[in-house]
Amino acid sequence: MLFRQYFIILLLILLVSPNALADYDNDDEDEDEPKILGIDAEDLGNISLYLMVGTLILIVWKPTFIWLRKYGPDRLGQEPRDFKRKLGIFNRKFMKVHIWLGFGTAIIGTIHGFLLEWHWTLWLGMVCVWILVFSGSMMQWKWPTKEFRKGARLLHLQRTLSIIAIILLILGHNILD
């Protein structure tokens, strides 16, 4: 379990490394790059990258939340009931931000892919991101059956799909660079 968390953190560091970022050495070619709403396609990729990293901060928050819920009131010298209530309110707000960052990552990343002719590995990674986004949003909806939402929860919470998406996106960007 601990190994997986370190592995995911390592992948996030690799994702933010210069290999995954667009190189800006070709300033002469910037005029030819496709744009949407005045934003370069490469910049959309950077925006999507930062949104993805923001979305994946949940990997650090969830164990912290569990630890704070268990030991926080004693360690911080607060009344347990009030502390847990405030922590629950913060967690719900955090999860809403997580959901919107995930949608933003998927939408901006897909637009980035359409503007730049992507390699198939990038599209496969983007499919994994969209599966994560839809399965995560299904957990919030009330209309699917309970069993369906349970399956969506199991799909969304396993980190394997996130790891596959990150590896495919890093690999695809390295192929194109």
Side-chain angles (χ1 to χ4, degrees):
M1 183 71 171
L2 188 62
F3 173 75
R4 265 199 268 172
Q5 289 176 342
Y6 287 126
F7 184 69
I8 290 170
I9 290 171
L10 176 67
L11 285 176
L12 288 174
I13 291 170
L14 288 174
L15 185 64
V16 181
S17 72
N19 288 339
L21 297 175
D23 64 337
Y24 291 101
D25 295 339
N26 305 339
D27 289 335
D28 300 335
E29 297 176 11
D30 283 347
E31 298 164 2
D32 298 338
E33 286 188 18
K35 294 183 178 189
I36 186 163
L37 301 173
I39 302 173
D40 289 338
E42 292 291 334
D43 292 339
L44 287 176
N46 290 336
I47 292 168
S48 183
L49 169 69
Y50 297 130
L51 289 175
M52 178 179 265
V53 170
T55 302
L56 293 175
I57 286 178
L58 181 70
I59 295 169
V60 176
W61 168 246
K62 203 61 174 169
T64 305
F65 172 74
I66 293 169
W67 185 87
L68 281 172
R69 203 160 154 76
K70 188 172 184 180
Y71 301 111
D74 296 335
R75 299 273 173 120
L76 300 174
Q78 294 186 7
E79 191 231 326
R81 185 178 179 115
D82 190 43
F83 180 80
K84 288 180 181 180
R85 183 184 60 78
K86 288 178 183 176
L87 187 63
I89 290 170
F90 178 79
N91 188 51
R92 282 190 293 278
K93 289 180 182 178
F94 182 86
M95 292 309 291
K96 286 182 182 180
V97 169
H98 170 75
I99 290 167
W100 285 107
L101 287 176
F103 270 117
T105 299
I107 291 169
I108 293 173
T110 303
I111 293 170
H112 170 66
F114 279 126
L115 293 177
L116 301 174
E117 296 165 11
W118 267 5
H119 190 260
W120 65 268
T121 56
L122 292 167
W123 285 116
L124 196 57
M126 209 63 224
V127 166
C128 292
V129 169
W130 276 108
I131 290 171
L132 287 167
V133 166
F134 282 126
S135 62
S137 60
M138 278 186 209
M139 294 179 347
Q140 303 295 318
W141 298 339
K142 302 296 181 203
W143 61 266
T145 63
K146 187 175 183 178
E147 294 81 23
F148 195 79
R149 283 196 315 259
K150 185 177 180 181
R153 179 179 172 79
L154 290 173
L155 178 64
H156 186 76
L157 293 181
Q158 64 172 308
R159 294 185 178 140
T160 308
L161 197 57
S162 298
I163 292 170
I164 291 170
I166 291 169
I167 289 172
L168 286 171
L169 291 172
I170 291 172
L171 180 66
H173 279 92
N174 283 333
I175 289 172
L176 291 179
D177 286 344

